[in-house]
Amino acid sequence: MMTTFPLLTCCEMLSIDPKTLRNWLRQANMSLQIHPADRRVKCLSMEQVQHLAALHSRALKSNRTDTSSVSEPLPFPEEVARLKQMAHLEAQVAALQQQLVQLRHLPPPVTFPAPVQQEDGQAACQKVSVDGTPDAGCHRSWTPLPAESRRRRVLPLIEYGAADTYVIVCPQQGELPLAPDSPEWFAWLASLSSFRFIGKSGRLSACRGYDQGPKRTWYAYRTIHQQDYKQYLGTTDHLTISCLEQMAAKLQSYAE
């Protein structure tokens, strides 16, 4: 059986590149052989290789292997680089597909609705269900504490001043010429819903209560060491200077 070698093997034996080999074959008017095991593989016989080596003064390298073990020709370097690039791109596409699958299985984000504003200006609380939708069964209004209500506006003030006198200041009218415990004093207190008192031995904030029906009694408030204190003052006709001073001193004692 005639020994044949694929073209790449012939290039290695002659130490030339495939383009030079084809030029030599064309110059020598030499035809290619077909590999007996694979018709896709083009080969040269040993006599043809030796003839080319003699024509171009080339020393043949030793045969690497017998032609019976030849399968397919080795790819060119450009093809090898292209195959590596395609494999890299396929790996990137597979990674992106895996990330897309993971994103599809993530739970949807839960959004919480903003507080609803009621007509009276108070914020309403809505209970949120597991799926993020408001629960119609819960809708309660937030009511501020007395201490929080007092911070929102300037209150009328009764303050102990010089010469054993009391200064009465109205936010709208300024200082009022009222004598403590006078009819005008009680009439002015009856028109208020809250006021501040700063006495000789302490201070307090007074607010009306509604637990005694139409009499609308008063309560004294003060926050000491982050704790709220509440004391009963009585109805408007009991809000004398003596009553306010005694209650202010009592609340002051909690701070000592």
Side-chain angles (χ1 to χ4, degrees):
M1 183 176 178
M2 183 176 59
T3 303
T4 57
F5 299 93
L7 295 183
L8 288 179
T9 303
C10 295
C11 291
E12 292 180 359
M13 294 171 64
L14 295 169
S15 300
I16 59 176
D17 57 76
K19 184 177 179 180
T20 303
L21 177 60
R22 292 183 183 275
N23 290 333
W24 287 5
L25 292 174
R26 185 168 53 255
Q27 294 173 3
N29 197 19
M30 192 177 295
S31 61
L32 298 174
Q33 306 291 329
I34 299 177
H35 193 273
D38 191 348
R39 298 182 62 85
R40 297 174 298 175
V41 180
K42 305 299 181 180
C43 302
L44 293 175
S45 64
M46 187 63 186
E47 291 76 9
Q48 290 176 314
V49 175
Q50 291 175 348
H51 181 66
L52 291 174
L55 289 176
H56 298 278
S57 302
R58 289 279 180 171
L60 293 178
K61 293 183 178 180
S62 60
N63 298 341
R64 296 182 307 165
T65 180
D66 186 75
T67 56
S68 60
S69 62
V70 176
S71 56
E72 293 186 2
L74 296 175
F76 293 111
E78 298 82 7
E79 296 180 355
V80 174
R82 189 179 301 109
L83 291 175
K84 290 183 178 180
Q85 185 178 8
M86 291 180 61
H88 180 67
L89 292 176
E90 290 177 356
Q92 288 183 339
V93 172
L96 291 175
Q97 290 177 346
Q98 184 66 23
Q99 292 179 2
L100 182 59
V101 172
Q102 295 177 356
L103 290 175
R104 288 177 178 175
H105 289 80
L106 290 177
V110 179
T111 57
F112 297 93
V116 180
Q117 194 71 17
Q118 293 183 340
E119 295 180 358
D120 57 357
Q122 295 179 349
C125 173
Q126 288 185 343
K127 183 179 180 181
V128 180
S129 60
V130 176
D131 58 357
T133 57
D135 188 357
C138 176
H139 188 82
R140 60 182 179 85
S141 298
W142 172 76
T143 303
L145 296 174
E148 295 175 341
S149 300
R150 295 195 299 271
R151 298 190 189 102
R152 296 184 180 181
R153 61 183 184 275
V154 180
L155 301 180
L157 174 65
I158 304 172
E159 183 177 7
Y160 178 75
D164 201 24
T165 59
Y166 290 87
V167 178
I168 303 172
V169 180
C170 177
Q172 292 79 19
Q173 304 176 7
E175 185 175 351
L176 301 179
L178 297 179
D181 303 340
S182 64
E184 293 78 12
W185 162 274
F186 293 109
W188 176 68
L189 292 176
S191 65
L192 304 178
S193 60
S194 59
F195 64 89
R196 295 178 57 210
F197 176 78
I198 302 177
K200 301 177 182 180
S201 304
R203 56 185 175 85
L204 58 84
S205 295
C207 295
R208 286 184 181 272
Y210 296 89
D211 56 345
Q212 299 295 330
K215 291 184 179 181
R216 301 177 66 185
T217 55
W218 290 82
Y219 289 89
Y221 296 90
R222 184 173 174 183
T223 300
I224 301 174
H225 303 312
Q226 298 181 352
Q227 182 175 355
D228 293 333
Y229 292 90
K230 175 182 177 181
Q231 295 291 332
Y232 176 73
L233 282 173
T235 56
T236 304
D237 55 343
H238 287 83
L239 298 183
T240 61
I241 284 294
S242 176
C243 173
L244 296 176
E245 286 286 3
Q246 291 178 3
M247 185 57 66
K250 181 178 180 179
L251 293 174
Q252 182 63 31
S253 64
Y254 297 145
E256 300 174 353

